[in-house]
Each structure stands twice: as C-alpha cells, then as structure tokens.
C-alpha cells in the first residue's frame, strides 16, 4: 500500500507521468490486489492505470471487488482490455509480481502453491533491471493468458459483493486476510 500511495502522490504532483501498474497474482485475495482495492481513490485521482493477470478467478466476491476497483481506475476503458486469466497450468510456475510504474517491482511467492504451503516470499526491488525484467515477464504472460469470461466481468450483477468490499476496505490490510500459518503452536 505504501508503494502505491507513493506512486500516486508522485504522479499527482507531476513528478512522473501517470504510469501503468502491472500485477501477476494468484487471486483477487493476494496482497497486491487488496492494496489496489484500498488505494483505488488515490490511484484514480493520479490517473494511474492497471493491468492484471489472475491465475484463479475465485472467490467471486473478492474478484468483483477487484474488478470494481479496476473499473474506478479505468472509467472509460473496457475492463476486458485490462484483465487476463492465466488458465494454462504451465503458467502456474510464475511468481506473483507487481510492477508499480518506474518505482518498484514486488515479487511474491509462486502462484502454483496452495495458501497453506506458501513460504511468504516477498522481494522489493527498485533497480532498473528488475523493473525491465518485470515488464518483459508481464508482457509474455499477458500474451499467453486468456480473456476472463464475460459473466465474471459483470460487476453490476454483484451488488452484494460491492457492499462487502466497502466494509473490507475500511479494515486494516492485516485484518482483511489473516496469514495462514504452517501449523498452530499449541501448549496444553
């Protein structure tokens, strides 16, 4: 959230041109997706566009919250041009990745791993080479991904999920999705 807020502030102050942020994420429950939903107003005010590749298109409630945030960022654009589904199982070897314009490249855990088997890999890199690699990786994955089915893009049909998203938006990021532990430590 801090990287997105800083990026929006720099674009709003005209220090940089409004960039395009790219996300390769496991699902709409991923940390970069939740951060995008929570900072959508600042990003929209700064004119920042976003493109997203998802490997899972469920749970539908979180998916519609993400699509609503993207629609707010891209009011005149076709949502179908900004979201893809990496449905091919061979693409599951990628890692979650977010490139926030010329600011930062975030890399997360592998998208193929189940949430309970993840090792919480998180890398932040602002080197130009990392940003370039992130842009090339996104471009290749975008070309290999499919369009999201039209019925899932219909965010207006999910009015109930938008209300739930509004409640989740006010909660701190840590409270929205508690981290999954490998096993609980119990003491009797």
């Amino acid at each position: 959230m801090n990287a997105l807020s800083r990026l929006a502030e720099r674009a709003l102050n005209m220090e940089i041109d409004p960039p395009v942020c790219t996300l390769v994420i496991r699902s709409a429950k991923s940390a970069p997706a939740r951060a995008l939903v929570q900072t959508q107003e600042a990003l929209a005010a700064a004119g920042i566009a976003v493109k997203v590749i998802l490997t899972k298109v469920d749970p539908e409630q979180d998916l519609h919250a993400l699509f609503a945030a993207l629609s707010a960022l891209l009011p005149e654009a076709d949502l179908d041009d900004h979201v893809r589904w990496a449905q091919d199982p061979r693409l599951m070897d990628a890692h979650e990745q977010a490139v926030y314009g010329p600011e930062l490249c975030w890399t997360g855990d592998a998208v193929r791993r189940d949430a309970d088997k993840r090792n919480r890999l998180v890398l932040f890199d602002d080197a130009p080479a990392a940003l370039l690699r992130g842009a090339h990786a996104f471009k290749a994955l975008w070309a290999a991904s499919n369009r999201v089915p039209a019925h899932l893009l219909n965010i207006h049909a999910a009015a109930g999920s938008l209300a739930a998203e509004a409640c989740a938006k006010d909660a701190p990021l840590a409270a929205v999705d508690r981290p999954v532990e490998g096993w609980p430590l119990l003491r009797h």
Side-chain angles (χ1 to χ4, degrees):
M1 283 181 47
N2 289 338
L4 283 173
S5 297
R6 186 177 64 234
L7 180 66
E9 183 178 320
R10 287 194 64 207
L12 198 57
N13 293 334
M14 296 184 202
E15 294 175 26
I16 58 172
D17 291 332
V20 174
C21 296
T22 59
L23 306 176
V24 177
I25 53 178
R26 178 178 170 81
S27 72
K29 290 182 78 167
S30 293
R34 293 191 324 261
L36 178 82
V37 169
Q38 291 187 352
T39 58
Q40 72 183 8
E41 285 126 15
L43 297 174
I48 295 173
V50 179
K51 286 189 158 193
V52 178
I53 299 172
L54 297 156
T55 59
K56 289 177 61 178
V57 290
D58 60 338
E60 205 164 317
Q61 180 178 356
D62 294 316
L63 191 63
H64 287 294
L66 176 63
F67 290 166
L70 288 173
S71 293
L73 293 172
L74 314 160
E76 296 179 19
D78 185 8
L79 191 57
D80 194 44
D81 294 334
H82 292 268
V83 181
R84 288 287 186 266
W85 182 16
Q87 194 173 7
D88 186 339
R90 294 174 294 180
L91 300 177
M92 297 295 278
D93 286 333
H95 281 72
E96 288 185 303
Q97 167 189 289
V99 177
Y100 300 127
E103 293 285 312
L104 186 68
C105 182
W106 172 89
T107 304
D109 210 347
V111 295
R112 72 182 173 278
R113 293 187 186 154
D114 291 329
D116 60 344
K117 295 180 183 174
R118 303 184 96 182
N119 64 9
R120 301 288 187 223
L121 168 73
V122 175
L123 301 173
F124 292 92
D125 198 347
D126 60 358
L131 296 166
L132 186 61
R133 280 192 306 272
H136 287 307
F138 183 85
K139 186 176 179 182
L141 286 170
W142 184 268
S145 298
N146 302 324
R147 293 182 178 271
V148 175
H151 73 277
L152 291 175
L153 288 175
N154 185 6
I155 61 171
H156 301 294
S161 67
L162 293 179
E165 180 268 329
C167 293
K169 184 178 173 187
D170 295 331
L173 188 58
V176 174
D177 186 25
R178 300 183 64 101
V180 177
E181 300 296 329
W183 52 275
L185 296 173
L186 300 175
R187 186 172 185 176
H188 298 284

